[in-house]
Amino acid sequence: LLAGKDVSAALQDWFDGRLAASRRDLSAARQKWQSGLAKLTGLPTLPPCQFPEPPDASFRNLTPPELLSGFADVTVQVVAWTVGGLQQYGLILAPAELVPGRQHRLILYCHGAAFGIPNSFCGWLAEHLVRQGYVVIAPAMRGEPLYQMQVPVNGQELVSEGEIENLDGEVDDCLAMLAAAWKLPYVKPDEFAMLGHSFGAGVGLLTAARAGDKAKAVVSYDAWLVNPQRFYWDRMRCGANNWLSWEDFCNQPVQAQLQGLKKRSIVHNAGLLQAKLLLFMGGGYDGSVFHLSHNDLLQELQRLNKPCQYVLVPDGDHNFVLRDGAPARFALSKQQEFLRRYFPAK
C-alpha cells in the first residue's frame, strides 16, 4: 500500500473480512483475511496519474480593493471565478499603491482545513509578504466559507460551491485562481510561490507539482496527507484518526480508492515538482503520521535528486504558524531568508 502497489485484490478481501466480522461470522472473516494475505506477492505498481491541463479562469470582482484593517499600505479584494462549473471565492491582497507598468511577483496562500481563510492571518500575510512587495492570492477552496469568521460580502456570507474533496478538486481551484491572477496587469505572469499550512499545504504541494516550472518556490507548514496511503493505513490498523472522512472515502470501489490515494499523494507525484522546497514540521509532536509521511517524501525526493530543506521546529505543534510565539518566529526567519534567495519580491 505505502509503495503504491496494486493491492486491490487483497484490500477487497480485507473489507469483506471486516463485513463478515461485523456479522459475527469470525470464521468467514479469518478466511477472507488469510486469502488477502496470499495476494500480496508479485504486485504490479499502480499506473502513473494522468493529469489534465491546468484549468483557465478569470476573476469577477465582488468588491473593490479596500484597505485591510490595520494597514494603510495593503488592500484586500474579494473575487470569484469558476472552475469545473463551480463558483469559487477568494481574496487578493496587494500593495495599496500600484505603480502603472510594475508587475509584482505572486504568492498563492493555501489555508488549513476546512473552515475558510483565517481572518487574523490576513494581517500576517500583509505584514510579511505584501509589504515586501508580493501580491498574495488566497482561495477559500470548494465547499468552504470565504472566512473562518464569516464577514458578509454585499450582504451575503460566501461559501464556495462544491464539496470538500481532500486534495483532489481543491488543486484545480488553486490552478484556476493562478490562471486568473496572471491576467491582472499588476501581477507578473506564469510564475508563483506557494505558502500553505496543513490541509492547504497538501493542496499547495500538489498544485506546485501540476504547475511544473511555473512554481518557483514552496513553503509548507505541517502539510496534511503528504502520503495518503500512510494516513489510510493508520485508519485500517485502528491507529490515530488523522483522516476524519476516511469511512466515506472507503465507500468507493477499492480500485478507485487506490487511484484516489495516488492522485492525492505528493510522495507518488514528487517527480513533477520543479520548485525549490522548504518544509516545516512542528517538533512538539514528532513521530506522528505527519512526520512519517514527510520522511517518505524526503526519501523520494532524495531518490529523485531533488533538493529540499526540511526543518523540524522546536516545540512547534501542528498550528504553530497561526500564533505569534517562539516556534512561529523561528520559522518565519527561515521562511523569509528562503524567499529572498529563491523568490525575491524585487
Side-chain angles (χ1 to χ4, degrees), residues 1-2 14 18 229-242 246 287-289 292:
L1 179 69
L2 297 181
W14 183 81
R18 282 284 298 269
Q229 287 88 335
R230 191 173 286 281
F231 283 75
Y232 185 101
W233 172 249
D234 254 15
R235 295 301 310 273
M236 283 184 71
R237 68 182 184 88
C238 299
N241 184 3
N242 288 298
W246 178 77
S288 75
V289 67
L292 295 175

Side-chain angles (χ1 to χ4, degrees), residues 37-346:
L37 286 172
K39 297 174 182 177
L40 291 174
T41 58
L43 297 170
T45 301
L46 289 168
C49 298
Q50 301 296 324
F51 295 107
E53 288 295 310
D56 191 19
S58 297
F59 286 142
R60 298 182 299 282
N61 297 331
L62 301 186
T63 66
E66 301 171 330
L67 289 178
L68 181 66
S69 177
F71 292 84
D73 53 350
V74 176
T75 62
V76 60
Q77 183 175 20
V78 179
V79 294
W81 67 99
T82 301
V83 55
L86 300 174
Q87 179 153 281
Q88 304 298 308
Y89 301 105
L91 303 177
I92 302 173
L93 294 112
E97 297 295 331
L98 294 172
V99 179
R102 180 184 172 189
Q103 293 182 321
H104 296 258
R105 303 190 92 176
L106 185 66
I107 292 183
L108 169 70
Y109 167 63
C110 299
H111 66 83
F115 310 104
I117 300 164
N119 307 57
S120 60
F121 205 65
C122 290
W124 188 97
L125 297 170
E127 179 178 356
H128 300 301
L129 297 178
V130 181
R131 279 182 167 173
Q132 302 301 314
Y134 299 103
V135 167
V136 176
I137 55 173
M141 293 186 276
R142 60 188 59 197
E144 298 195 42
L146 176 60
Y147 290 108
Q148 280 189 0
M149 297 178 62
Q150 276 285 42
V151 177
V153 176
N154 300 326
Q156 181 183 1
E157 293 186 352
L158 302 180
V159 179
S160 291
E161 293 179 348
E163 297 180 355
I164 295 171
E165 297 183 14
N166 292 321
L167 278 58
D168 187 1
E170 291 87 356
V171 178
D172 284 338
D173 300 339
C174 292
L175 290 168
M177 191 178 195
L178 285 165
W182 287 329
K183 297 174 183 177
L184 298 172
Y186 54 87
V187 168
K188 187 175 181 182
D190 297 325
E191 64 164 34
F192 72 103
M194 191 288 297
L195 187 146
H197 168 237
S198 190
F199 179 100
V203 172
L205 281 162
L206 290 165
T207 300
R210 285 186 56 189
D213 62 1
K214 293 182 179 180
K216 305 302 183 185
V218 164
V219 180
S220 167
Y221 285 92
D222 294 71
W224 179 69
L225 221 62
V226 164
N227 189 350
Q229 287 88 335
R230 191 173 286 281
F231 283 75
Y232 185 101
W233 172 249
D234 254 15
R235 295 301 310 273
M236 283 184 71
R237 68 182 184 88
C238 299
N241 184 3
N242 288 298
W243 186 349
L244 300 181
S245 59
W246 178 77
E247 290 89 346
D248 292 335
F249 182 81
C250 290
N251 286 332
Q252 304 176 89
V254 292
Q255 192 66 43
Q257 291 183 50
L258 294 176
Q259 291 291 351
L261 290 172
K262 189 162 188 177
K263 184 179 183 182
R264 291 168 170 85
S265 172
I266 191 58
V267 171
H268 295 90
N269 292 289
L272 300 177
L273 285 167
Q274 299 184 48
K276 301 296 184 182
L277 303 172
L278 173 59
L279 309 179
F280 290 110
M281 277 298 301
Y285 65 116
D286 195 9
S288 75
V289 67
F290 289 84
H291 297 82
L292 295 175
S293 293
H294 276 72
N295 289 339
D296 295 336
L297 177 57
L298 293 173
Q299 291 176 15
E300 181 63 8
L301 291 170
Q302 185 176 31
R303 187 186 72 83
L304 295 168
N305 294 314
K306 293 180 181 288
C308 171
Q309 288 182 244
Y310 179 66
V311 181
L312 199 61
V313 178
D315 300 321
D317 62 12
H318 182 68
N319 295 315
F320 75 85
V321 70
L322 300 179
R323 300 185 303 274
D324 182 25
R329 291 192 293 271
F330 170 85
L332 177 61
S333 65
K334 293 186 178 297
Q335 170 196 298
Q336 299 301 69
E337 178 185 353
F338 175 82
L339 288 175
R340 283 193 296 268
R341 181 175 182 183
Y342 294 115
F343 197 70
K346 301 177 182 177

